């Protein structure tokens, strides 16, 4: 999960919802909230984990479609390490 | 508590040892029982916290760790047991609970998945049973219960995180929980299942927006718990049916428990609203468990008085 990011997106229109659903299935992204692309709704939070190699492409695509986003977790692996007991994460 | 560190996450091996130790150190109150076996043939144990008495007592059931990656959930079940055992002699409320109620706690429901999340993939969610000749693994055990199984908010694709299995109760973990709860259903007043994130207290149902017959009671109790949380910790929990405030899903243990006649059935989505999501850092265990303990205690208090 090195440099994977979790983005928070709130789509505002049906078109944005549809584009996000397309991105989810094209990139096989890991939806955290909601869990299924069909549950993405306008005006509701979307949390999505984007693998590091796709982050820039994803952000470009969001910008292209005027979809604003916020980075919730800038590096998932760093958080994963923090959730491990100290001796285990130093062992890693 | 025998030196166990409750403010760190623990691998399954240590949780097994913790259960044994808890039983040994608190033999007057705690017994450890076998619930069943996982797909990978690991033993599922639950702890029964029960004060000896001639009185018939009702049961509060709590399970944790149905979703592997939600590590805070097993941490809370352990915290809950610790709190009860540490305080039952001195805290009048807990002492009163134990005069009327028994607690049955399953610290990790999805043991195979939990181990997989420690050893292979921190964000693994499902169980570990293979499908389609081993090309994909795992069922979402919280979509596998026999409650409108397969109807909404699930996937029949075994690669999906919400794959509901090949049929209702197709998974040994689900069957173990369901058979046990069915056998005790007339004594279980409250079913609690603990999940990881969202700050929600969810009521039945997820598979329909039609409210259950005791919806008013379900909502009132949960709202009181949420208000207590807000008052003491400032944490804003939302309360409502899963279908109305989260998303629709079928086959959940909470819905199933209510449909078989357990009147109070809740899912807790704990502390975080997305800052850390499924990867809550260990330094958040204590504050999360403290506030959750208050909310759970409020619900138990209602059950006890009722």
């Amino acid at each position: 999960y090195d440099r994977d990011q979790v983005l928070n997106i709130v789509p505002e229109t049906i078109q944005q919802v549809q584009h996000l659903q397309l991105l989810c299935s094209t990139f096989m992204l890991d939806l955290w909230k909601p869990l299924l692309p069909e549950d993405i709704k306008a005006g509701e939070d979307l949390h999505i984990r984007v693998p590091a190699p796709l982050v820039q492409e994803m952000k470009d695509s969001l910008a292209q479609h005027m979809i604003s986003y916020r980075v919730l977790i800038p590096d998932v692996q760093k958080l994963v390490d923090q959730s491990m007991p100290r001796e285990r994460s130093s062992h890693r | 508590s025998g030196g166990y560190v409750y403010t760190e996450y623990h691998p399954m091996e240590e949780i097994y040892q913790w259960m044994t130790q808890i039983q040994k150190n608190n033999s007057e109150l705690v017994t450890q029982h076998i619930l069943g076996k996982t797909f990978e043939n690991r033993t599922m144990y639950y702890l029964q916290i029960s004060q000896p008495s001639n009185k018939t007592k009702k049961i509060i059931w709590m399970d944790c760790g149905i979703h592997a990656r939600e590590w805070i959930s097993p941490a809370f079940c352990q915290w809950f047991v610790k709190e009860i055992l540490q305080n039952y002699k001195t805290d009048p409320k807990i002492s009163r609970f134990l005069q009327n109620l028994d607690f049955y706690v399953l610290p990790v429901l999805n043991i195979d998945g939990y181990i997989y999340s420690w050893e292979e993939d921190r964000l693994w969610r499902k169980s570990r049973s293979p499908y389609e000749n081993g090309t994909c693994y795992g069922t979402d055990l919280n979509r596998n219960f026999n409650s409108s199984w397969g109807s909404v908010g699930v996937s029949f694709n075994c690669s999906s995180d919400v794959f509901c299995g090949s049929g209702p109760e197709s998974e040994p973990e689900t069957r173990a929980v369901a058979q046990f709860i069915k056998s005790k259903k007339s004594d279980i007043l409250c079913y609690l299942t603990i999940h990881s994130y969202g700050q929600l207290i969810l009521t039945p149902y997820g598979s329909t927006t039609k409210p259950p017959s005791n919806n008013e009671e379900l909502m009132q109790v949960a709202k009181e718990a949420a208000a207590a949380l807000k008052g003491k910790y400032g944490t804003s929990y939302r309360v409502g049916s899963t279908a109305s405030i989260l998303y629709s899903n079928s086959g959940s243990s909470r819905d199933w428990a209510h449909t078989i006649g357990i009147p109070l059935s809740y899912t807790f989505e704990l502390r975080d609203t997305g800052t850390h999501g499924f990867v809550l850092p260990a330094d958040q265990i204590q504050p999360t468990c403290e506030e959750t303990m208050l909310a759970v205690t409020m619900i138990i208090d209602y059950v006890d008085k009722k």
Side-chain angles (χ1 to χ4, degrees), chain A residues 1 30-36 38-39 44 47 49 72-73 76 79-80 82-86 88, chain B residues 8-9 11 14 71 118 121-123 125 143 153 162 197 247 273-276 278-282:
Chain A
Y1 301 116
D30 176 17
L31 267 174
W32 283 15
K33 183 195 170 186
L35 292 161
L36 285 168
E38 53 262 41
D39 289 324
E44 290 186 12
H47 298 167
R49 179 177 62 84
L72 276 179
I73 303 176
V76 174
L79 263 193
V80 167
Q82 279 177 45
S83 70
M84 299 295 272
R86 224 164 285 143
R88 286 187 188 86
Chain B
E8 278 190 358
Y9 296 114
E14 290 175 15
W71 287 7
W118 271 84
D121 181 351
R122 173 65 181 82
L123 292 176
R125 168 183 171 91
R143 303 288 184 278
V162 288
Y197 95 91
Y247 42 66
T273 51
T275 313
H276 307 103
F278 296 117
V279 204
L280 194 70

Side-chain angles (χ1 to χ4, degrees), chain B residues 57-71:
Chain B
K57 287 187 280 180
K58 293 292 181 185
I59 295 168
I60 307 272
W61 169 274
M62 183 192 297
D63 61 56
C64 294
I66 196 169
H67 290 143
R69 61 190 173 187
E70 301 177 14
W71 287 7

